[in-house]
Amino acid sequence: MTNDKTMKLDVVQKREQKTGWILLLPALIVMLVVYAYPILRAFWLSVFTQNLGTELELVFSGLSNYGRMFNDGRFWQSLWNTSVFTTASVLSELILGIGVALVLNQAFKGRGIVRTITLIPWALPTAVMGVAWAWIFNDQYGVVNDILRRLGLIETGISWLGNPTLAMIAVILADVWKTTPFIALLLLAGLQSIPGDLYEAHSLDGATPWQSFWKITVPLLMPQIIVSLLFRFAQAFAIFDLIQVMTGGGPGGATETVSIYIYSTVMRYLDFGYGSALIVVTFLILVIAVAIASFLLTRARANAAGVR
């Protein structure tokens, strides 16, 4: 009897697995067409030269596009700009997101309305928001300069988007304002899954709220933190629309990211081979970052569960 039940369970499991694969097949096909094909085509084009010099004809050039990349100062500058933007914006959003999530997790009157208002920046279209922030930082009639003049801190308008350092700070502030609610939302979901009994027991042991935050909140919230960092790193590293609208990569390439450089290479200079090589390198950097984040996520989950 036991063997018969085991055999029946195996048959049912195999049928369920088969049914599952059949149901997943359409989604897998769509993903292959939407994601895999462009990536594979970029790999293929990266070993060819296709630009105005070849009259847009494909000419096999091996790894010459990648060799050209090593001597391309504009590429390295855009990679540095992207790294600075990504690091500053993601870390700022994480710190602010934790603070916002902790506030929204408290019980107070009108909490639902506050949560809704908090999500408005994230819901706004990035291009529209970029235009608004470009107006805010305008040196002649921008809100920031107007406030500083009224406070008597400046006499003439500051060229926020005309100075390399200030332009980078401006786009980082705009990105932090828009995407902090996204991280706060993810972390809020994690906070709500932490039992309140843990905090009560910890306070009875004489722990302060600050100690409870580091001993309970941070360890149990670590999986959500890693997921948030993973999503935001990928989004920030591939930033295009916000900076394109606000500065166009200027002044003098000070805010030009890898995505904007790729866009200029492909769409403005019609250098499809070299642009594909840039895409491949950017893709590999993101894959490595995702692999590292996935490893940290696995360890964080194991630590949160008490596994050493």
Side-chain angles (χ1 to χ4, degrees):
M1 293 294 294
T2 303
N3 293 333
D4 292 340
K5 290 182 178 180
T6 303
M7 292 179 62
K8 289 181 179 179
L9 287 174
D10 291 339
V11 172
V12 172
Q13 289 178 352
K14 290 180 179 179
R15 287 179 179 176
E16 289 180 348
Q17 291 178 354
K18 185 178 180 180
T19 303
W21 280 109
I22 292 175
L23 294 175
L24 285 174
L25 187 60
L28 292 175
I29 294 175
V30 171
M31 289 184 65
L32 286 174
V33 173
V34 175
Y35 294 104
Y37 173 74
I39 293 172
L40 293 176
R41 181 168 176 80
F43 272 95
W44 181 70
L45 284 176
S46 67
V47 297
F48 290 87
T49 298
Q50 185 184 25
N51 51 37
L52 295 177
T54 64
E55 297 181 352
L56 299 183
E57 296 291 334
L58 287 176
V59 177
F60 181 77
S61 56
L63 301 178
S64 63
N65 286 322
Y66 296 96
R68 172 185 169 185
M69 199 179 305
F70 283 102
N71 299 318
D72 188 352
R74 185 176 175 182
F75 165 71
W76 292 109
Q77 180 63 43
S78 66
L79 185 61
W80 170 255
N81 294 339
T82 305
S83 302
V84 171
F85 174 86
T86 301
T87 303
S89 61
V90 172
L91 290 180
S92 300
E93 291 158 10
L94 176 63
I95 295 172
L96 294 174
I98 291 176
V100 173
L102 289 173
V103 172
L104 296 180
N105 193 45
Q106 303 300 315
F108 57 88
K109 188 176 181 180
R111 182 174 63 174
I113 297 176
V114 174
R115 287 180 176 180
T116 303
I117 295 175
T118 303
L119 293 176
I120 290 178
W122 181 50
L124 291 174
T126 304
V128 175
M129 187 270 296
V131 173
W133 277 98
W135 172 76
I136 290 172
F137 284 110
N138 187 276
D139 58 338
Q140 296 180 2
Y141 49 82
V143 175
V144 175
N145 281 339
D146 182 62
I147 294 175
L148 294 177
R149 285 196 190 96
R150 292 175 184 272
L151 294 176
L153 298 177
I154 61 173
E155 294 182 359
T156 59
I158 299 175
S159 181
W160 294 95
L161 302 181
N163 179 281
T165 302
L166 295 179
M168 178 60 74
I169 293 175
V171 295
I172 289 173
L173 288 175
D175 186 70
V176 169
W177 179 83
K178 176 172 175 56
T179 53
T180 294
F182 172 74
I183 290 185
L185 181 65
L186 293 179
L187 298 183
L188 178 61
L191 286 173
Q192 292 179 336
S193 66
I194 301 176
D197 297 341
L198 294 178
Y199 296 100
E200 295 179 3
H202 205 224
S203 63
L204 292 176
D205 292 336
T208 63
W210 184 250
Q211 290 173 331
S212 297
F213 172 76
W214 285 107
K215 296 294 184 179
I216 298 176
T217 305
V218 172
L220 295 182
L221 200 61
M222 190 57 66
Q224 285 79 16
I225 291 176
I226 299 298
V227 170
S228 302
L229 291 176
L230 174 62
F231 275 103
R232 279 303 302 140
F233 175 84
Q235 292 174 345
F237 197 86
I239 188 72
F240 174 80
D241 44 4
L242 173 65
I243 297 180
Q244 179 68 17
V245 172
M246 287 187 64
T247 65
T255 60
E256 184 179 58
T257 60
V258 173
S259 297
I260 294 178
Y261 182 40
I262 292 174
Y263 174 82
S264 298
T265 302
V266 175
M267 304 303 295
R268 181 179 298 177
Y269 305 117
L270 301 181
D271 196 344
F272 299 104
Y274 186 54
S276 298
L278 294 172
I279 293 173
V280 170
V281 171
T282 304
F283 171 75
L284 292 177
I285 292 174
L286 287 175
V287 168
I288 294 172
V290 168
I292 294 174
S294 299
F295 172 75
L296 294 175
L297 173 60
T298 303
R299 290 193 59 181
R301 286 177 175 172
N303 292 334
V307 179
R308 299 289 182 237

